[in-house]
Amino acid sequence: MKFLLDFLPILLFFGTFKYASAHAESAARFATEQFGFLVSGGVVGATEAPVLLSTMVVILATVMQIVVLLMRGKKIDLMLWISLALVVLMGGATVWFHNETFIKWKPSVLYWAMGLAFWLSAALWRKNLLQTLLGDQVALPAAIWQRLNVAWVAFFALMGLLNLYVAYHFSTATWVDFKLFGGTGLMLLFTLGQGLYLSRHLQPPPAALPIKSRANNEEQAVP
């Protein structure tokens, strides 16, 4: 359920863009009639309609995402609040100025914000955010936590650059495909790679020692 809720905004963005692109003239009329007051000049062209409509949908979906979590009594992660602020600010600029550049920058800014949070927390406050998130489930040496933190900082930095490269060197349709499949796929591969790396350094808890070893330890402890 949480996985679907996390990816719902991007799925809706993708679906709306593809549908509006296939019905550009109808999408332009609908956007002009229903949302013209949100757009500078009041008129949405056929080439602009897919991005503008999908941007408005993703803004609404992100707001609803937070509303649902609050209604269920769940804690809202800081990054989700940052994502909401970015999508409202940069998405709103995309809609008002008829300029898709703003919404294309949004993923990069979010990636860099996450990378900056990981880096600053370690550099200034000596706090490893990854260890804070996973430390209760995974036991690792301090040096391994530090390497993982650096790896995530580098990954977020590169993902931000890659998003801009695709945005400026390929069509908007290709960028939308990359946003869903490329970005998500690379995140999944990186997470799997981290899992394989973690498996080599996991420290077994005391309860995981063989029964025979524990029995020997207990016998040695008896005076």
Side-chain angles (χ1 to χ4, degrees):
M1 177 66 181
K2 186 179 184 302
F3 178 83
L4 179 60
L5 190 63
D6 289 342
F7 280 91
L8 185 59
I10 190 173
L11 290 173
L12 291 175
F13 182 92
F14 177 83
T16 303
F17 181 86
K18 292 300 181 182
Y19 182 85
S21 296
H23 306 83
E25 294 296 336
S26 300
R29 287 195 299 270
F30 175 79
T32 299
E33 293 170 0
Q34 302 299 323
F35 306 108
F37 65 96
L38 296 174
V39 180
S40 176
V43 178
V44 179
T47 58
E48 308 163 348
V51 171
L52 266 63
L53 287 174
S54 55
T55 297
M56 285 187 278
V57 166
V58 81
I59 292 173
L60 180 60
T62 306
V63 172
M64 291 305 300
Q65 184 181 22
I66 289 181
V67 170
V68 169
L69 289 173
L70 289 175
M71 291 178 63
R72 296 177 60 196
K74 302 294 184 179
K75 180 181 178 181
I76 309 299
D77 294 333
L78 175 61
M79 286 303 166
L80 185 54
W81 286 117
I82 294 175
S83 180
L84 175 64
L86 289 174
V87 78
V88 170
L89 179 64
M90 306 184 81
T94 289
V95 172
W96 178 255
F97 293 109
H98 304 245
N99 192 335
E100 62 194 30
T101 300
F102 294 101
I103 198 64
K104 286 182 176 180
W105 269 81
K106 184 261 178 182
S108 291
V109 175
L110 183 59
Y111 283 132
W112 292 335
M114 290 190 290
L116 192 62
F118 274 64
W119 177 65
L120 287 178
S121 62
L124 299 182
W125 298 286
R126 301 289 185 251
K127 182 178 181 181
N128 190 307
L129 288 184
L130 196 62
Q131 185 176 3
T132 302
L133 294 172
L134 302 177
D136 292 338
Q137 292 83 31
V138 181
L140 292 170
I144 303 302
W145 283 118
Q146 184 178 4
R147 292 176 196 170
L148 292 175
N149 193 70
V150 171
W152 276 102
V153 171
F155 175 76
F156 286 134
L158 291 174
M159 284 297 294
L161 293 173
L162 182 57
N163 174 72
L164 291 183
Y165 178 82
V166 175
Y168 281 100
H169 291 83
F170 296 91
S171 67
T172 299
T174 300
W175 173 78
V176 171
D177 291 338
F178 170 79
K179 181 176 167 63
L180 177 60
F181 300 108
T184 304
L186 289 172
M187 178 70 76
L188 179 60
L189 288 175
F190 182 75
T191 303
L192 289 175
Q194 291 261 304
L196 292 175
Y197 180 75
L198 283 174
S199 66
R200 297 165 47 194
H201 300 281
L202 289 175
Q203 297 178 337
L209 292 173
I211 295 177
K212 186 176 180 180
S213 298
R214 293 204 304 271
N216 291 337
N217 292 337
E218 291 172 359
E219 291 177 359
Q220 295 174 6
V222 176

